[in-house]
Amino acid sequence: MIIKIENNTNFSTIKSYLESLHLEVHLIHKKNNRYIVISGDERPINMNYLCSIIGNSKIITDFSPYYFSSREFQKEDTIIEVKNFKVGGGNFSYIAGPCTIENENDLIETGRLISKYGATLFRAGAFKPRTSPYNFQGWGREGIKLLHSVGQKLNMPVITEVLNPEDVLWMEPYIDVFQVGTRNMTNTALLKELGKTNKPVLLKRNFAVGIEDWIKAAEFVIVYGNSNVMLCERGIQGVDNYNRFVLDLAAVSAAKQLTHLPVIVDPSHATGRPELIPSMVSAAIVAGADGIIVETHIDPSKMLVPGDGPQALLPHQFNKIVEDNKPLLKLLQKKLCL
Amino acid sequence: MIIKIENNTNFSTIKSYLESLHLEVHLIHKKNNRYIVISGDERPINMNYLCSIIGNSKIITDFSPYYFSSREFQKEDTIIEVKNFKVGGGNFSYIAGPCTIENENDLIETGRLISKYGATLFRAGAFKPRTSPYNFQGWGREGIKLLHSVGQKLNMPVITEVLNPEDVLWMEPYIDVFQVGTRNMTNTALLKELGKTNKPVLLKRNFAVGIEDWIKAAEFVIVYGNSNVMLCERGIQGVDNYNRFVLDLAAVSAAKQLTHLPVIVDPSHATGRPELIPSMVSAAIVAGADGIIVETHIDPSKMLVPGDGPQALLPHQFNKIVEDNKPLLKLLQKKLCL
Amino acid sequence: MIIKIENNTNFSTIKSYLESLHLEVHLIHKKNNRYIVISGDERPINMNYLCSIIGNSKIITDFSPYYFSSREFQKEDTIIEVKNFKVGGGNFSYIAGPCTIENENDLIETGRLISKYGATLFRAGAFKPRTSPYNFQGWGREGIKLLHSVGQKLNMPVITEVLNPEDVLWMEPYIDVFQVGTRNMTNTALLKELGKTNKPVLLKRNFAVGIEDWIKAAEFVIVYGNSNVMLCERGIQGVDNYNRFVLDLAAVSAAKQLTHLPVIVDPSHATGRPELIPSMVSAAIVAGADGIIVETHIDPSKMLVPGDGPQALLPHQFNKIVEDNKPLLKLLQKKLCL
Amino acid sequence: MIIKIENNTNFSTIKSYLESLHLEVHLIHKKNNRYIVISGDERPINMNYLCSIIGNSKIITDFSPYYFSSREFQKEDTIIEVKNFKVGGGNFSYIAGPCTIENENDLIETGRLISKYGATLFRAGAFKPRTSPYNFQGWGREGIKLLHSVGQKLNMPVITEVLNPEDVLWMEPYIDVFQVGTRNMTNTALLKELGKTNKPVLLKRNFAVGIEDWIKAAEFVIVYGNSNVMLCERGIQGVDNYNRFVLDLAAVSAAKQLTHLPVIVDPSHATGRPELIPSMVSAAIVAGADGIIVETHIDPSKMLVPGDGPQALLPHQFNKIVEDNKPLLKLLQKKLCL
């Protein structure tokens, strides 16, 4: 149940009543309105009593499972500000950087080049979700601090993956955008915790879930308090081993139609093949993407996470992609963030 | 084994010898050269003897499973001529029409409009592969003749699906392009029979096979004698019920890199949603497609195959797609076939 | 539409009328009743006129897409007789043999051993569906004749795959059961042709289609005239490369509940791993299978189709499986065909 | 890298050295031996120096990514003790209970009946992973305490799902087995935290990952310190909507061959159909499962999580399953835990 609050409504009375019934109650501010979102077993609610205490507020019972994310709720694109640039609403951004934070020199050198070539947000991983415990799990806290300091030096905002809900709070001052990886899209404990920050969240689609479940995961973050969610398509399971995953560009287009959230595309993890990244960047732009996230590295042969080497672009390859797509963005009247 | 024949080689001697060993022997003309392709159990071949009878001809033993389709074999794009227009090599074509041949009037009216709006090849099905025997299976032979006559009236070449190898021979004079549907891509008896015609073949990818198996199916047609094969991506199984299938545009790009064959994209069957077709047409163009095949119908509500109704475009929607993509084709320096 | 014919009904009048409307009309005998099955565009039927000519016959309009296969239509198990043994209805059969017919000696020796160890139907392939045209496609007609002759010598009925509708007629006298492979389950031209024989058909499930579409494929064969259909589960696409496919035993159980047809299980192609075949045979028995089809070979290292080598059982391994499962069959009161 | 420690080895010296290189170091006791497991970037290790400080200890460099879980490491089955009963090693257990903790009365009544009928471990969820934030997320902490108290009253150990790493520590005294759900199998932060408890962990397979990645997830828990891991197969994504998922019994058999860990099967979530649960329980037993986990409820129509209603068994249906499978367990010489 959602209640759209009118001015004369006493929120705390409603909250007390609902919580006395063991319901979870969220207060959400969206588009100059306030909403109470209720989740839990609604059967014990005495509707007569509830109506008597909500005043002119309106009870919404028939709503989509991604109500606040939907175009029905908000027609215009959400524009998310990340320091000095904007994501969504006709702006187009490149996010780039190495998969893993390895050492300061390579990080600075990669960042310096991709910034020069057109990336506005610097990505690098400190917490790596690996399938085997014997693999390198990333530099952790130390890595986060290093990324922060490199971002400061380069004057670039930074994005990095968070795996553990307990890391959200302390990481917040160090990073500009939280990334939720494909393996954690269904980690509701993490999504809820990210709802409590005000830093933007880039939410990768799980490689095995449908479009609408992906949007519902975004809705989790929003309902728990953080409206700054960007969706990220990074490929789903296909029928093939030629590419690592199948880049689902119809899902990008569908997500743009169904929601007002920015949608970013990751062709690196989707294809795992540098020779397919350029065409997939262009196709993603045309399909409606608001930005691209790609892996770049100054020397892929030195990478610590072996599987990621082949898919990383060299900085000059990244440069070529940015340049080659300028006419396309111009044709589509998209503004490149620089 | 493949043998590249030199002038002084006596083909019939080689053929006799190999066939005496129960091997299948194909003679293929490609790029001013002749090749002998051998399939079967090669162990009984006496290599010394074979070498003694092939003269200067060259035995190729280490080759890709889609040798003649590959860019290694032929760098430049294959261009397939369908009556008055060309597919591949920088030409871009729209193929359109109803899923099913229903009646002459609707067929002519649909054909007249899509031809006016930019389609150069008219599609309609007379043999429908259905999952249930109780469903309408198409008008069959009668439908093929009707399609032929409508094509003549409209001065448009026609494409239609063939299901049964025994239909290939008699259908040949009536149609301009044979279509192999997703459920028959693995039907090697059909592929072999299509190798014996010289009419082009549009080979849809099976919704559950990988990119390279799709190309190997094309190789079947080529090895059995017909080089005029166009690949067609029409969506693979995904993780979702939102779209009917997942349009795999990275496969389009990969197929363009791996082979010299034209690649056509079918966004109608892939998405099953008219609202996603326009963006997927543009994305397909950018991903490297040489053409688009879409379902169009003057009145989808009257369609005989119910599931196909929702995905069919009205002629004016098709018109809009053609017009909207002209700047994009111009940007990519693709020549629209008209 | 289905019409259940009563005695006083004049079938030829009905047929003439329906065919004049371009409908396909099938006459089916099932359980001492006759049925007219109509497929096509039923809208032109004048129901008043139809009712006037069908006498007491009953029009069935609301029926499952696999009506004649369903338990609603026939409660008791269908029992199919293959020469001297029975499939279904509490009988349990082992089908075994090499994937491919290679040479007479190996064929006889394999057949002799598996017959001794408990197989009642001998399998071997003469037409091999391969993904690449360069691969060995099987011995073809010659292979069929060899299999027939070996079957005669061993006094064992034989089963082999058919790929091309035009092969059905001439193969009929040489073989005892037709096999439809996973890649041809959706080949409706082949299914229709098999409807015209009276030899049993073992219909493998396509590795990418659902349970009900598999049963609808069986319904095709039945509606076109042949009720002797055995379903065969052989694994579907999963999420994994550990096994070749995922053996879907819940589908076996579901097929037994939904239909009265025998269900056979192929653990060889499903797993591709001999070490998993014994447990999967037992699990299939418990899940309700009426028989097992396994690959066996006296020397897997010599096999012509390389991928099949690793999954083939040696005759003594097959023997052990048959012996080990006797107590289980006894517990379930299944009668082993010997 | 793994180092098998000999008595004369000074662990703290090794640890200090490795941690000075920013490596993660775990000390593991297994089978009367101690092992140092190292994860991270091993390139800076000075092997000469390391060898000089490890004494007689043995460096293992070539090991499977699930070394401690593997049969190579430990031949005999791991037997996990849960209060008064044993899992694995020829013991067979039924785990049952409602999907969700709803109210004390239903919980007690369900628990009382299933205990009487043969369940030895009581399952119920307090933290529910839902796809939409508007859905009931479970009773949370309050639910855990209720489950604990009901378990005490019934004298039954309890199992429940944990979603958030921060919940592991406080939940430990209240529950007997931690369950990791399919959506959290890839949640490495949670797996690591569970490594720090000594309570057994039931680790469900993610519905979209392969067999070996599932075992690697178990290895995470073991390497971080907790050897009491039971694997649980609960169905993977298939090609079908008939069943919710595809129960992968070959994976059960494979897991029993590859590892020494107990394997539990969940036919409720796999099929979503009560009519398929009985046959799948039997098939799972035959495939090698050490136990079954099923949903049971005294009144499925009242369930708070609607999708779960249809798949829940009534207590008397559970009773029938337990009774019907006794002869099968006897035949396989498995000891039913009661």
Side-chain angles (χ1 to χ4, degrees):
Chain A
M1 190 188 292
I2 296 173
I3 302 170
K4 188 175 172 186
I5 304 181
E6 289 304 320
N7 285 330
N8 61 340
T9 306
N10 186 333
F11 171 59
S12 63
T13 308
I14 302 173
K15 188 170 191 280
S16 300
Y17 171 59
L18 294 169
E19 289 185 345
S20 75
L21 304 173
H22 303 284
L23 291 159
E24 218 176 305
V25 178
H26 305 277
L27 180 64
I28 299 181
H29 293 75
K30 292 285 290 183
K31 299 203 297 175
N32 302 321
N33 289 306
R34 290 180 305 151
Y35 297 84
I36 301 173
V37 174
I38 301 162
S39 63
D41 180 10
E42 299 182 353
R43 292 175 304 183
I45 298 176
N46 179 329
M47 288 303 289
N48 286 337
Y49 177 68
L50 181 63
C51 288
S52 76
I53 60 173
I54 64 171
N56 294 332
S57 294
K58 193 183 150 205
I59 294 178
I60 307 170
T61 48
D62 182 22
F63 55 92
S64 125
Y66 42 90
Y67 180 73
F68 293 112
S69 305
S70 70
R71 286 271 180 206
E72 280 75 48
F73 178 75
Q74 179 186 313
K75 276 212 175 60
E76 66 279 10
D77 280 9
T78 282
I79 297 175
I80 296 176
E81 302 200 12
V82 181
K83 278 197 169 163
N84 44 348
F85 75 100
K86 291 172 180 171
V87 183
N91 302 288
F92 192 84
S93 320
Y94 287 100
I95 308 170
C99 197
T100 311
I101 294 163
E102 294 172 353
N103 63 69
E104 190 170 1
N105 284 350
D106 285 8
L107 205 60
I108 289 182
E109 185 56 13
T110 301
R112 201 184 56 73
L113 284 169
I114 59 168
S115 171
K116 176 178 157 194
Y117 294 148
T120 42
L121 182 56
F122 190 39
R123 58 157 283 168
F127 295 105
K128 305 297 301 170
R130 305 303 301 277
T131 50
S132 163
Y134 300 107
N135 292 335
F136 175 55
Q137 316 280 320
W139 291 127
R141 296 181 182 218
E142 204 178 324
I144 297 294
K145 286 171 188 170
L146 180 59
L147 178 64
H148 175 70
S149 119
V150 169
Q152 298 283 83
K153 278 179 194 154
L154 297 167
N155 196 26
M156 273 187 102
V158 296
I159 174 173
T160 200
E161 184 165 0
V162 60
L163 300 180
N164 195 331
E166 77 178 17
D167 292 333
V168 171
L169 195 64
W170 72 261
M171 279 172 68
E172 204 180 77
Y174 292 103
I175 60 106
D176 300 283
V177 183
F178 283 104
Q179 179 179 312
V180 177
T182 188
R183 284 169 188 75
N184 281 293
M185 192 209 86
T186 54
N187 181 343
T188 48
L190 181 62
L191 299 177
K192 290 177 182 179
E193 199 63 29
L194 289 165
K196 298 177 194 162
T197 77
N198 58 10
K199 284 281 167 77
V201 174
L202 182 132
L203 178 64
K204 290 201 167 182
R205 179 179 176 191
N206 182 274
F207 56 83
V209 306
I211 295 168
E212 293 187 290
D213 280 359
W214 178 35
I215 303 174
K216 286 181 213 165
E219 188 82 358
F220 254 106
V221 182
I222 293 169
V223 162
Y224 281 78
N226 182 357
S227 289
N228 296 312
V229 183
M230 313 172 200
L231 297 166
C232 178
E233 160 63 25
R234 50 75 71 203
I236 54 170
Q237 277 189 337
V239 297
D240 208 286
N241 291 316
Y242 186 82
N243 291 324
R244 282 180 71 170
F245 292 93
V246 179
L247 188 62
D248 186 359
L249 291 175
V252 172
S253 196
K256 291 298 294 177
Q257 291 176 3
L258 295 170
T259 83
H260 50 79
L261 303 172
V263 181
I264 307 297
V265 169
D266 175 351
S268 301
H269 288 83
T271 65
R273 289 181 171 265
E275 74 271 22
L276 292 176
I277 293 174
S279 63
M280 289 303 101
V281 169
S282 304
I285 289 171
V286 167
D290 297 293
I292 295 293
I293 182 166
V294 280
E295 268 192 62
T296 49
H297 198 283
I298 50 168
D299 184 357
S301 68
K302 289 197 303 184
M303 284 168 71
L304 266 173
V305 178
D308 290 336
Q311 80 199 20
L313 298 172
L314 291 163
H316 78 271
Q317 293 173 313
F318 173 65
N319 185 27
K320 188 170 187 317
I321 287 173
V322 175
E323 294 305 317
D324 286 355
N325 283 296
K326 281 182 176 167
L328 190 58
L329 289 168
K330 196 178 163 194
L331 180 71
L332 302 173
Q333 295 180 294
K334 290 233 176 184
K335 192 181 156 202
L336 182 57
C337 300
L338 281 175
Chain B
M1 192 188 292
I2 296 173
I3 302 171
K4 188 177 173 185
I5 305 180
E6 289 303 320
N7 286 329
N8 62 338
T9 306
N10 187 332
F11 170 58
S12 63
T13 309
I14 302 172
K15 188 170 191 279
S16 299
Y17 171 60
L18 294 169
E19 289 186 344
S20 75
L21 305 174
H22 304 284
L23 290 159
E24 218 176 306
V25 178
H26 305 276
L27 180 64
I28 298 181
H29 291 76
K30 293 284 291 181
K31 299 202 298 176
N32 302 321
N33 289 304
R34 289 179 305 150
Y35 297 84
I36 301 173
V37 174
I38 302 162
S39 64
D41 180 10
E42 300 182 351
R43 292 175 303 182
I45 298 176
N46 178 328
M47 288 304 287
N48 287 337
Y49 178 68
L50 182 63
C51 289
S52 76
I53 61 172
I54 63 169
N56 294 330
S57 294
K58 194 184 150 204
I59 294 176
I60 307 170
T61 49
D62 183 22
F63 55 91
S64 124
Y66 42 91
Y67 180 73
F68 292 111
S69 305
S70 71
R71 286 272 179 204
E72 281 73 49
F73 178 76
Q74 179 185 313
K75 275 212 175 60
E76 67 280 9
D77 279 9
T78 282
I79 298 175
I80 296 176
E81 302 199 14
V82 181
K83 278 197 169 161
N84 45 348
F85 75 100
K86 291 171 179 172
V87 183
N91 302 286
F92 191 84
S93 320
Y94 287 100
I95 308 170
C99 198
T100 311
I101 294 163
E102 294 172 352
N103 63 69
E104 190 170 359
N105 283 352
D106 285 9
L107 205 60
I108 288 182
E109 184 56 14
T110 302
R112 201 184 57 72
L113 284 169
I114 59 168
S115 171
K116 176 179 156 195
Y117 294 148
T120 42
L121 182 56
F122 189 41
R123 58 157 284 168
F127 295 106
K128 304 298 303 170
R130 304 303 302 275
T131 49
S132 164
Y134 301 107
N135 292 335
F136 175 55
Q137 314 280 320
W139 291 127
R141 298 183 181 217
E142 205 179 324
I144 297 295
K145 286 170 188 170
L146 180 60
L147 179 63
H148 175 71
S149 118
V150 168
Q152 298 284 83
K153 278 179 194 153
L154 296 167
N155 196 26
M156 273 187 101
V158 296
I159 174 173
T160 199
E161 183 165 0
V162 59
L163 299 180
N164 195 331
E166 77 177 18
D167 292 333
V168 171
L169 194 64
W170 72 260
M171 278 173 68
E172 205 179 76
Y174 292 102
I175 59 107
D176 299 283
V177 183
F178 284 104
Q179 178 180 311
V180 177
T182 189
R183 284 169 188 76
N184 281 292
M185 193 209 85
T186 53
N187 181 344
T188 49
L190 181 62
L191 299 177
K192 290 177 182 179
E193 199 64 29
L194 288 166
K196 299 177 193 161
T197 77
N198 58 10
K199 285 281 165 78
V201 174
L202 182 132
L203 178 64
K204 290 200 166 182
R205 179 180 177 191
N206 182 274
F207 56 82
V209 306
I211 295 168
E212 292 187 290
D213 280 0
W214 178 35
I215 303 174
K216 286 181 213 165
E219 189 82 358
F220 255 107
V221 181
I222 293 170
V223 163
Y224 281 78
N226 182 358
S227 288
N228 295 312
V229 183
M230 313 171 201
L231 297 166
C232 178
E233 160 63 26
R234 50 75 70 203
I236 53 171
Q237 277 189 338
V239 297
D240 209 288
N241 291 317
Y242 186 81
N243 291 324
R244 283 180 70 168
F245 292 93
V246 179
L247 187 63
D248 186 359
L249 290 176
V252 172
S253 196
K256 291 299 294 178
Q257 292 176 1
L258 296 169
T259 83
H260 50 79
L261 303 173
V263 181
I264 307 297
V265 169
D266 175 352
S268 301
H269 289 83
T271 63
R273 289 182 171 266
E275 74 271 22
L276 292 175
I277 293 175
S279 63
M280 289 303 103
V281 169
S282 304
I285 289 171
V286 167
D290 297 292
I292 295 293
I293 181 166
V294 280
E295 268 192 61
T296 49
H297 199 283
I298 50 167
D299 185 357
S301 68
K302 288 197 304 183
M303 285 169 70
L304 266 172
V305 178
D308 290 337
Q311 80 199 20
L313 298 172
L314 291 164
H316 78 270
Q317 293 173 314
F318 173 66
N319 185 27
K320 188 170 187 316
I321 286 174
V322 175
E323 293 306 316
D324 287 354
N325 283 296
K326 280 181 177 167
L328 190 58
L329 289 169
K330 196 178 163 193
L331 181 70
L332 301 173
Q333 296 180 294
K334 289 233 177 186
K335 193 180 155 202
L336 182 56
C337 300
L338 282 175
Chain C
M1 191 188 292
I2 296 173
I3 301 170
K4 187 176 173 186
I5 304 180
E6 289 303 319
N7 285 329
N8 62 340
T9 306
N10 186 333
F11 171 58
S12 62
T13 309
I14 302 173
K15 188 170 190 281
S16 299
Y17 171 61
L18 293 169
E19 288 186 344
S20 76
L21 304 174
H22 303 284
L23 290 160
E24 219 176 306
V25 179
H26 304 276
L27 180 64
I28 299 181
H29 293 76
K30 292 286 290 183
K31 299 202 299 176
N32 302 321
N33 289 306
R34 289 179 307 150
Y35 297 84
I36 301 173
V37 174
I38 301 163
S39 64
D41 179 11
E42 300 182 353
R43 293 175 302 182
I45 298 176
N46 179 328
M47 289 302 289
N48 286 338
Y49 177 68
L50 181 64
C51 287
S52 76
I53 61 173
I54 63 170
N56 294 331
S57 293
K58 194 182 149 204
I59 294 177
I60 307 170
T61 48
D62 183 23
F63 55 91
S64 124
Y66 42 90
Y67 180 74
F68 293 111
S69 305
S70 70
R71 286 273 180 205
E72 280 75 48
F73 177 76
Q74 178 185 313
K75 275 212 176 60
E76 67 279 9
D77 279 9
T78 282
I79 298 175
I80 296 175
E81 302 200 12
V82 181
K83 278 196 169 162
N84 45 348
F85 73 100
K86 291 173 179 170
V87 183
N91 301 287
F92 191 84
S93 319
Y94 287 100
I95 308 170
C99 198
T100 310
I101 293 163
E102 294 172 353
N103 64 67
E104 190 170 0
N105 283 352
D106 286 7
L107 204 60
I108 288 182
E109 184 57 13
T110 302
R112 201 185 55 75
L113 284 169
I114 59 168
S115 170
K116 176 178 156 194
Y117 294 148
T120 43
L121 181 57
F122 188 39
R123 58 158 284 169
F127 295 105
K128 304 297 301 171
R130 305 303 302 276
T131 49
S132 164
Y134 301 107
N135 292 336
F136 176 55
Q137 316 279 319
W139 290 127
R141 296 183 182 219
E142 206 179 321
I144 297 294
K145 286 170 188 170
L146 180 59
L147 179 63
H148 175 71
S149 118
V150 168
Q152 299 283 85
K153 279 180 194 152
L154 297 167
N155 197 26
M156 271 187 103
V158 296
I159 174 173
T160 199
E161 184 166 359
V162 60
L163 300 180
N164 195 331
E166 76 177 19
D167 292 334
V168 171
L169 195 64
W170 73 259
M171 279 172 68
E172 204 180 77
Y174 291 103
I175 60 106
D176 299 284
V177 182
F178 283 104
Q179 179 180 311
V180 177
T182 188
R183 285 167 188 77
N184 281 293
M185 192 210 86
T186 54
N187 181 344
T188 48
L190 181 61
L191 299 178
K192 290 177 182 179
E193 200 64 29
L194 288 165
K196 299 177 193 161
T197 77
N198 58 10
K199 285 281 166 76
V201 174
L202 182 132
L203 178 64
K204 290 201 166 181
R205 178 179 177 193
N206 182 274
F207 56 82
V209 306
I211 294 167
E212 293 187 290
D213 280 0
W214 177 37
I215 303 174
K216 286 181 212 165
E219 188 82 1
F220 255 106
V221 182
I222 294 170
V223 162
Y224 281 78
N226 182 357
S227 289
N228 296 312
V229 183
M230 313 171 199
L231 297 166
C232 178
E233 160 62 27
R234 49 77 70 204
I236 53 170
Q237 276 189 337
V239 296
D240 208 286
N241 291 317
Y242 186 82
N243 290 324
R244 282 180 71 169
F245 292 94
V246 179
L247 188 62
D248 185 0
L249 291 175
V252 172
S253 196
K256 292 298 294 177
Q257 291 177 2
L258 296 170
T259 83
H260 50 78
L261 303 172
V263 181
I264 307 297
V265 169
D266 175 352
S268 301
H269 288 84
T271 64
R273 290 182 171 265
E275 74 271 22
L276 293 176
I277 292 175
S279 63
M280 289 303 103
V281 169
S282 304
I285 289 170
V286 167
D290 298 292
I292 295 293
I293 180 165
V294 280
E295 268 191 62
T296 49
H297 198 283
I298 51 167
D299 185 356
S301 69
K302 288 198 303 183
M303 283 169 71
L304 265 172
V305 179
D308 290 336
Q311 79 198 22
L313 298 172
L314 291 163
H316 78 270
Q317 293 173 313
F318 172 67
N319 186 26
K320 188 170 187 315
I321 286 174
V322 175
E323 294 306 317
D324 286 354
N325 283 295
K326 280 180 177 167
L328 191 58
L329 289 168
K330 196 178 164 194
L331 180 69
L332 301 174
Q333 294 179 294
K334 289 232 176 186
K335 193 182 157 202
L336 182 57
C337 300
L338 282 175
Chain D
M1 191 189 290
I2 296 172
I3 301 170
K4 187 176 173 186
I5 304 180
E6 289 304 321
N7 285 329
N8 61 341
T9 306
N10 186 333
F11 171 59
S12 62
T13 309
I14 302 173
K15 188 170 191 280
S16 300
Y17 171 60
L18 293 169
E19 289 186 343
S20 76
L21 304 173
H22 304 283
L23 291 160
E24 218 175 306
V25 179
H26 305 276
L27 180 64
I28 299 181
H29 293 76
K30 293 285 289 182
K31 299 202 298 174
N32 302 321
N33 290 305
R34 290 180 304 151
Y35 297 84
I36 302 173
V37 174
I38 301 162
S39 64
D41 179 10
E42 299 182 353
R43 292 175 303 183
I45 298 175
N46 180 328
M47 289 303 289
N48 286 338
Y49 178 68
L50 181 63
C51 288
S52 76
I53 60 173
I54 64 171
N56 293 332
S57 293
K58 195 184 150 204
I59 295 177
I60 308 171
T61 49
D62 183 23
F63 54 92
S64 125
Y66 42 91
Y67 180 73
F68 293 111
S69 305
S70 70
R71 286 272 180 205
E72 281 74 47
F73 178 76
Q74 179 185 312
K75 276 212 176 59
E76 67 281 9
D77 280 9
T78 282
I79 297 175
I80 297 176
E81 302 200 11
V82 182
K83 278 198 168 161
N84 44 349
F85 74 100
K86 291 172 180 172
V87 183
N91 301 288
F92 192 83
S93 320
Y94 288 99
I95 307 170
C99 197
T100 311
I101 294 164
E102 293 172 353
N103 64 68
E104 189 169 0
N105 284 350
D106 285 8
L107 205 61
I108 288 181
E109 184 58 12
T110 302
R112 201 185 56 74
L113 284 169
I114 60 169
S115 170
K116 175 178 156 195
Y117 293 148
T120 43
L121 182 56
F122 189 39
R123 56 157 284 168
F127 296 104
K128 303 299 299 172
R130 306 302 302 276
T131 50
S132 163
Y134 301 107
N135 292 334
F136 176 55
Q137 315 281 321
W139 291 127
R141 296 181 183 219
E142 204 178 324
I144 297 295
K145 286 171 190 171
L146 180 59
L147 178 63
H148 175 71
S149 118
V150 168
Q152 298 283 83
K153 279 180 193 153
L154 297 166
N155 196 26
M156 273 187 102
V158 295
I159 174 173
T160 199
E161 184 165 358
V162 60
L163 301 180
N164 195 331
E166 77 178 18
D167 291 334
V168 171
L169 195 63
W170 72 261
M171 278 172 67
E172 205 180 77
Y174 292 103
I175 60 107
D176 300 283
V177 182
F178 283 103
Q179 179 179 313
V180 177
T182 188
R183 285 167 187 77
N184 281 293
M185 192 210 87
T186 54
N187 181 344
T188 47
L190 181 63
L191 299 178
K192 289 178 182 179
E193 199 64 29
L194 289 165
K196 299 176 193 162
T197 77
N198 59 9
K199 284 282 166 75
V201 174
L202 182 132
L203 178 64
K204 291 200 166 183
R205 180 181 177 191
N206 182 274
F207 56 83
V209 307
I211 294 167
E212 292 186 290
D213 280 0
W214 176 37
I215 303 174
K216 287 180 211 165
E219 188 82 359
F220 255 106
V221 181
I222 294 169
V223 162
Y224 281 78
N226 182 357
S227 289
N228 296 313
V229 183
M230 315 171 198
L231 297 165
C232 178
E233 160 63 26
R234 49 77 70 203
I236 55 170
Q237 277 189 337
V239 296
D240 208 287
N241 290 316
Y242 186 82
N243 291 324
R244 282 180 72 169
F245 292 93
V246 179
L247 188 63
D248 185 0
L249 290 175
V252 171
S253 196
K256 291 298 295 177
Q257 291 177 2
L258 295 170
T259 83
H260 49 80
L261 303 172
V263 181
I264 306 297
V265 169
D266 175 352
S268 300
H269 288 84
T271 64
R273 290 182 171 266
E275 74 270 24
L276 292 176
I277 293 175
S279 63
M280 289 304 102
V281 169
S282 304
I285 289 171
V286 168
D290 298 292
I292 295 293
I293 180 166
V294 281
E295 269 191 61
T296 48
H297 199 283
I298 50 166
D299 184 357
S301 69
K302 289 198 302 183
M303 284 169 71
L304 266 173
V305 179
D308 291 336
Q311 79 198 21
L313 298 172
L314 291 164
H316 78 271
Q317 293 173 313
F318 173 66
N319 184 27
K320 188 170 188 314
I321 287 174
V322 175
E323 293 306 317
D324 286 355
N325 283 295
K326 280 181 176 167
L328 190 58
L329 289 168
K330 196 178 164 193
L331 180 70
L332 301 173
Q333 294 179 295
K334 289 233 176 185
K335 193 182 156 202
L336 182 56
C337 300
L338 281 176

